[in-house]
């Protein structure tokens, strides 16, 4: 394997470039002989595997291995941490999870918290995805118009995506809590304090709101890219065809944006089902179990309850994983259809 | 069928002035072609007529009614775009019916109009196909069909044939000429291809740098160009523009050798600089007399041949050789004679 020296830079930057190039060149020389030796040993064609190996090792250690361990935990019982010390129980954990009088009534289930989590997650996902798609679409359409300071607004709407979910949740908690900014405003205007994070309906509303606020920028970006990909002359043709504006949106924009819409819907669904950190910080799953999500349930069952039931949490994880797998397949199918369109 | 009047039309994009006061009248049923080099403002002028661009100054009138402030949707015009601009998610039928649905026409009337246009354009078998399943020529015909069904006041064509291959371009050009004869509508057509302009137009508008250089019938422009630009732009190969000097009344000298050519000099004084315009087909080869020429290239196009030669102090000179010169143009030098 030949060592490659960076091309000599020109002009004013040559000094700085040489400064960076020198250690790089040294590094290349250092790895040159072992790589050359390896290539002689395994042949040029197999060198690709040598380059892939480091990432595969990390992927195996931190993704694939935990996945297998999780499945092993889900078919074992007891409270021991090491799989070798855990007795095999077969599908008992799954049977326990699915032991319900009616799946529509969490109270009829033996593990009612899991089903409350499923119910809350389903409700949250439906509201959140609907709101997310609607607001992202409206925002993308507005940001695609020739408005003043368009670049600024695009940045503003994308900015929350860059924030850590915990920072987002803490900021909104500071606004929404009993003595928070919003209640201070309401009382200053002579109104009554509202317990936004204590009232179950308000709590669900606000976790949907905060989630939409935090992630909308990402989906807006996808839709904006889709809108910009629609050729401008189609709109001019529609104008020549004397098409009313609502009909342009309904008959031209929306059908041509549909592939992007499907991606947004499926991605938002997956993200919605996975929701944990923002809700955990904002409401802690409360009041009671009003905002307890499936992932939160898994976390509590495995790590935070007095009796750490790894097996049950692992079984719930597998169920959640299968749901996410199905949604991912749907997303892939939607993406492929978009590529083929 | 409608008429169009442009009065002092100016268009600027910021500090860039694209159209500099265009005055033009297009009569009922006329086929007018805007022609000019890239960036001359011909497409902008068409878009101004369409209402897709607002004028900076001046007025646009259709049938005597000022439509300058009207949006494109209210002008009653139809436009065929260079890119076709077909709705990709709609079938050919839906593409053609879309504007009629906007007009609120009854379903059977829409169907009648779409099928009639499809019949005219040989698209009947493709009505259920999506645009991506059509060839370039078929797409172009759908775009034309979309314009026809609306029965517009004026048809606007923005370089509609530029995306087609040479053979299809000729075929579609003929179809367009036939269509104009059949429909009799007022048509305004933008192209940079002078063959399209010459073959389709009742009148040609030659534009350069946002100004009209000349308006006239194709043969008027060819035979009596108003200025050097039109003289050089219309005709292929282009007209020979030879710089010279009036030697005496009726005689102009050209080239370093001071070769004398007899031509009308009107009131020009002796010694006045002139440019002599000679079409390639007006030159012929001579054995002994005329302008001496070193032959640089002979193009044999099958049906016709052109000679490209050089003479000291003059630009390259193309000359039409007719069809029977192939054996005689192998010489390295020739004499060119202006038959006039």
């Amino acid at each position: 394997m030949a060592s490659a020296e960076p091309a000599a830079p020109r002009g004013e930057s040559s000094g700085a470039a040489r400064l960076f190039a020198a250690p790089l060149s040294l590094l290349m020389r250092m790895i040159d002989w072992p790589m050359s030796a390896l290539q002689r040993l395994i042949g040029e064609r197999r060198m690709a595997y040598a380059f892939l190996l480091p990432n595969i090792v990390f992927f195996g250690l931190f993704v694939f291995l935990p996945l297998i361990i999780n499945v092993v935990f889900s078919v074992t019982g007891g409270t021991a941490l090491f799989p070798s010390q855990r007795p095999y129980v077969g599908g008992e954990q799954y049977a326990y999870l699915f032991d319900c009088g009616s799946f529509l009534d969490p109270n009829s289930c033996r593990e009612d918290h899991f089903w409350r989590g499923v119910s809350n997650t389903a409700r949250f996902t439906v509201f959140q995805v609907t709101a997310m798609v609607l607001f992202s679409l409206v925002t993308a359409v507005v940001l695609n118009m020739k408005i003043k300071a368009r670049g600024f607004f695009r940045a503003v709407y994308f900015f929350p995506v860059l924030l850590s979910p915990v920072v987002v949740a803490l900021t909104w908690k500071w606004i929404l809590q009993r003595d928070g900014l919003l209640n201070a405003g309401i009382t200053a205007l002579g109104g009554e304090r509202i317990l936004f994070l204590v009232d179950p309906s308000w709590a669900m509303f606000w976790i949907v709101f905060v989630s939409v606020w935090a992630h909308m920028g990402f989906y807006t970006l996808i839709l904006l890219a889709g809108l910009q990909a629609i050729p401008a002359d189609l709109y001019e043709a529609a104008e020549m065809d004397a098409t009313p504006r609502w009909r342009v949106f309904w008959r031209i924009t929306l059908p041509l944006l549909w592939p992007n819409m499907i991606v947004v819907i499926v991605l938002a669904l997956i993200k919605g089902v996975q929701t944990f950190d923002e809700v955990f910080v904002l409401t802690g799953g409360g009041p009671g179990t009003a905002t307890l999500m499936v992932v939160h349930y898994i976390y509590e069952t495995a790590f935070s309850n007095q009796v750490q039931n790894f097996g049950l949490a692992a079984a719930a994880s597998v169920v959640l994983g299968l749901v996410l797998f199905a949604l991912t397949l749907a997303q892939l199918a939607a993406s492929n259809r978009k590529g083929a369109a | 069928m409608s008429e169009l009047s442009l009065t002092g039309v100016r268009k600027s994009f910021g500090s860039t002035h694209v159209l500099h006061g265009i005055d033009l009248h297009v009569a009922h049923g006329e086929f007018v072609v805007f022609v000019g080099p890239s960036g001359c403002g011909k497409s902008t002028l068409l878009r101004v007529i369409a209402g897709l661009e607002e004028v900076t100054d001046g007025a646009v009138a259709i049938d005597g009614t000022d439509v300058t402030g009207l949006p494109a949707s209210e002008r009653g015009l139809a436009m065929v775009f260079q890119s076709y601009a077909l709705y990709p998610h709609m079938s050919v039928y839906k593409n053609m019916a879309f504007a009629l649905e906007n007009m609120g026409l009854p379903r059977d009337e829409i169907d009648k109009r779409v099928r009639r246009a499809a019949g005219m354009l040989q698209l009947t078998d493709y009505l259920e196909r999506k645009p991506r399943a059509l060839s370039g020529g078929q797409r172009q015909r759908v775009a034309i069909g979309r314009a026809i069904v609306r029965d517009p006041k004026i048809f606007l064509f923005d370089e509609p044939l530029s995306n087609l291959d040479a053979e299809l371009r000729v075929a579609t050009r003929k179809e367009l000429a036939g269509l104009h004869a059949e429909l009799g509508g007022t048509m305004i057509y933008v192209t940079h291809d002078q063959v399209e302009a010459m073959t389709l137009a009742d009148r040609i508008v030659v534009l350069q740098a946002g100004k009209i250089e000349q308006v006239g019938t194709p043969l008027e422009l060819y035979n009596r160009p108003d200025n050097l630009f039109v003289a050089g732009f219309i005709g292929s190969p282009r007209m020979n523009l030879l710089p010279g000097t009036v030697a005496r009344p009726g005689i102009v000298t050209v080239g370093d050798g001071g070769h004398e050519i007899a031509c009308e000099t009107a009131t020009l004084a002796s010694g006045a600089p002139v440019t002599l315009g000679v079409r390639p087909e007006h030159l012929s080869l001579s054995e002994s007399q005329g302008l001496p020429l070193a032959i640089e290239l002979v193009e044999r196009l099958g049906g016709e041949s052109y000679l490209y030669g050089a003479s000291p102090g003059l630009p390259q000179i193309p000359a039409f050789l007719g069809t029977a010169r192939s054996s005689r143009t192998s010489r390295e030098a020739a004499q060119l004679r202006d038959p006039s």
Side-chain angles (χ1 to χ4, degrees), chain A residues 17-28:
Chain A
R18 218 174 288 142
L19 195 70
F20 286 109
L24 197 66
S25 175
L26 183 70
L27 184 72
M28 292 301 287

Side-chain angles (χ1 to χ4, degrees), chain B residues 291-331:
Chain B
L291 181 68
L293 204 68
I295 298 171
E296 292 183 332
L297 174 71
V298 175
E299 271 185 352
R300 293 186 186 87
L301 306 176
E304 53 195 33
S305 298
Y306 287 93
L307 174 152
Y308 293 84
S311 187
L314 293 175
Q316 190 182 53
I317 297 175
F320 180 60
L321 293 180
T323 54
R325 300 282 183 185
S326 55
S327 60
R328 297 182 61 192
T329 50
S330 57
R331 298 170 306 175

Side-chain angles (χ1 to χ4, degrees), chain A residues 63-329:
Chain A
V63 178
F64 205 62
L65 187 63
L67 197 80
I68 293 169
I69 292 175
N70 190 73
V71 174
V72 171
F73 267 66
S74 75
V75 291
T76 55
T79 53
L81 185 61
F82 291 101
S84 58
Q85 296 164 1
R86 296 175 61 83
Y88 177 75
V89 295
E92 208 172 87
Q93 306 282 18
Y94 295 96
Y96 184 76
L97 272 184
F98 284 88
D99 187 0
C100 275
S102 161
F103 288 114
L104 296 175
D105 178 16
N107 290 329
S108 70
C109 299
R110 275 180 76 185
E111 189 56 8
D112 62 329
H113 272 207
F114 172 73
W115 288 100
R116 221 170 281 280
V118 169
S119 163
N120 288 339
T121 305
R123 267 194 309 147
F124 170 82
T125 305
V126 168
F127 291 139
Q128 192 242 27
V129 170
T130 309
M132 189 76 86
V133 170
L134 278 177
F135 286 112
S136 302
L137 181 62
V138 171
T139 312
V141 168
V142 172
L143 291 179
N144 196 38
M145 289 175 176
K146 286 177 185 166
I147 52 170
K148 278 186 181 173
R150 189 164 64 166
F152 170 76
F153 285 116
R154 284 179 182 176
V156 162
Y157 278 93
F158 189 72
F159 181 69
V161 178
L162 304 174
L163 297 175
S164 149
V166 174
V167 172
V168 168
L170 283 174
T171 308
W172 279 99
K173 194 171 187 175
W174 181 67
I175 294 170
L176 298 171
Q177 64 196 355
R178 190 172 179 276
D179 297 319
L181 196 66
L182 192 54
N183 269 328
I186 291 171
T187 49
L189 291 170
E192 289 268 321
R193 256 197 205 111
I194 302 171
L195 302 176
F196 292 117
L197 302 176
V198 176
D199 181 290
S201 304
W202 274 115
M204 182 55 94
F205 168 80
W206 282 112
I207 61 169
V208 170
F209 179 92
V210 171
S211 176
V212 170
W213 181 85
H215 303 291
M216 196 180 80
F218 175 68
Y219 301 106
T220 300
L221 201 69
I222 295 176
L223 294 179
L224 190 58
L227 285 172
Q228 288 176 345
I230 300 174
D233 55 10
L234 291 187
Y235 291 112
E236 290 184 342
E239 203 178 337
M240 293 303 295
D241 283 346
T243 320
R245 288 183 81 169
W246 65 268
R247 200 159 188 261
V248 171
F249 181 77
W250 193 248
R251 293 292 304 275
I252 295 170
T253 305
L254 216 51
L256 293 176
L257 194 61
W258 193 239
N260 293 59
M261 292 278 283
I262 290 181
V263 171
V264 163
I265 290 168
V266 178
L267 282 180
L269 265 174
I270 293 172
K271 193 96 176 137
V273 172
Q274 288 175 317
T275 291
F276 170 62
D277 29 23
E278 281 150 14
V279 181
F280 181 73
V281 175
L282 204 59
T283 65
T289 55
T291 58
L292 180 79
M293 300 290 151
V294 173
V295 180
H296 191 173
Y297 160 82
I298 292 168
Y299 166 75
E300 282 196 339
T301 306
F303 305 112
S304 138
N305 285 353
Q306 276 189 333
V307 179
Q308 298 184 333
N309 195 341
F310 299 126
L312 195 59
S317 294
V318 170
V319 172
L320 181 68
L322 288 174
V323 171
L324 289 174
F325 183 65
L327 290 174
T328 308
L329 284 183

Side-chain angles (χ1 to χ4, degrees), chain B residues 27-293:
Chain B
H28 289 286
E30 204 176 11
F31 198 127
V32 169
V33 175
F34 294 168
V35 72
S38 297
C40 70
K42 54 190 187 298
S43 284
T44 305
L45 183 57
L46 193 77
R47 292 170 62 81
V48 161
I49 295 168
L52 295 173
E53 299 286 355
E54 287 178 17
V55 294
T56 308
D57 195 15
V60 180
I62 296 170
D63 288 335
T65 308
D66 189 343
V67 296
T68 316
L70 280 187
S73 55
E74 292 175 30
R75 293 192 183 189
L77 312 180
M79 184 153 163
V80 177
F81 292 82
Q82 184 176 3
S83 61
Y84 318 131
L86 299 177
Y87 307 122
H89 54 295
M90 294 185 200
S91 65
V92 169
Y93 186 96
K94 289 273 180 195
N95 262 284
M96 287 161 73
F98 189 65
L100 304 178
E101 289 169 8
N102 293 339
M103 291 158 72
L105 292 184
R107 200 170 284 272
D108 51 346
E109 172 67 14
I110 292 174
D111 190 63
K112 200 172 83 185
R113 285 203 197 187
V114 169
R115 290 192 187 280
R116 192 179 62 198
M120 279 167 79
L121 296 162
Q122 292 147 31
L123 288 169
T124 309
D125 294 341
Y126 306 102
L127 284 174
E128 296 313 313
R129 286 202 192 171
K130 294 271 174 69
R132 66 170 174 269
L134 300 176
S135 69
Q138 288 165 339
R139 287 180 202 183
Q140 189 52 269
R141 291 215 293 273
V142 177
I144 294 168
R146 197 168 61 176
I148 290 174
V149 291
R150 289 182 49 203
D151 193 16
K153 291 178 182 169
I154 300 172
F155 289 90
L156 307 174
F157 296 91
D158 187 7
E159 306 208 30
L161 309 185
S162 60
N163 289 337
L164 304 181
D165 63 45
E167 198 180 336
L168 205 54
R169 203 155 49 219
V170 174
T172 315
R173 200 171 70 206
K174 280 190 221 153
E175 281 176 17
L176 270 175
L179 208 63
H180 180 237
E182 192 176 343
L183 295 172
T186 309
M187 295 185 175
I188 299 175
Y189 187 103
V190 164
T191 182
H192 61 266
D193 182 338
Q194 52 168 300
V195 179
E196 276 174 32
M198 296 293 283
T199 52
L200 287 171
D202 292 327
R203 280 195 304 153
I204 296 176
V205 178
V206 182
L207 288 146
Q208 194 210 1
K211 289 181 188 150
I212 293 180
E213 293 286 345
Q214 190 174 354
V215 183
T217 66
L219 287 181
E220 272 171 14
L221 295 184
Y222 193 80
N223 294 325
R224 310 285 309 167
D226 277 355
N227 51 46
L228 282 177
F229 177 78
V230 177
F233 191 78
I234 300 291
S236 177
R238 68 198 300 267
M239 179 189 273
N240 291 295
L241 298 171
L242 310 176
T245 311
V246 176
R248 54 187 183 279
I251 297 293
V252 170
T253 57
V254 296
D256 291 347
H259 180 77
E260 290 191 347
I261 294 175
C263 69
E264 191 189 324
T265 53
T267 56
L268 290 166
S270 298
V274 291
T275 301
L276 208 60
V278 190
R279 293 275 177 207
E281 66 271 25
H282 293 154
L283 294 169
S284 63
L285 279 179
S286 167
E287 293 292 339
S288 55
Q289 53 176 319
L291 181 68
L293 204 68

